[in-house]
Amino acid sequence: MAIAEIDKYIIERVRERRIEVGYSQAHLSFLVNKANGYIGSHESHKQGKHYTIRMLNELAKVLECSPRDFLPENPL
């Protein structure tokens, strides 16, 4: 299943922020109360997964940023 460019962009911004704060994929999955491979399955793009608005909000809380930080300035 192909993943939309907007979803790729968002996933990459979450990944960059995750690395910036020093969290592993597994640790971030734990912090948002998801299964161990949740973040990894999104970052791999292989399963066509994307984050919901609700999950972006949860990720922003844990990563101490705004959900807007994951979105592009202009439409893709």
Side-chain angles (χ1 to χ4, degrees):
M1 175 181 231
I3 187 168
E5 287 303 311
I6 184 68
D7 293 316
K8 288 179 185 177
Y9 182 93
I10 291 168
I11 290 166
E12 183 61 22
R13 297 298 78 73
V14 171
R15 185 186 74 77
E16 288 173 356
R17 180 66 183 155
R18 174 182 65 75
I19 291 169
E20 185 178 299
V21 299
Y23 292 159
S24 68
Q25 292 174 342
H27 187 64
L28 183 54
S29 294
F30 171 78
L31 291 174
V32 294
N33 200 32
K34 294 292 183 181
N36 191 38
Y38 179 80
I39 298 297
S41 69
H42 285 68
E43 289 184 7
S44 73
H45 301 289
K46 291 179 183 176
Q47 298 176 14
K49 303 235 179 196
H50 64 276
Y51 295 119
T52 64
I53 294 295
R54 186 174 295 146
M55 182 50 61
L56 287 178
N57 191 61
E58 292 305 310
L59 288 164
K61 287 178 190 178
V62 170
L63 295 171
E64 299 180 347
C65 63
S66 170
R68 290 180 290 188
D69 293 338
F70 304 134
L71 301 173
E73 196 63 34
N74 296 305
L76 300 180

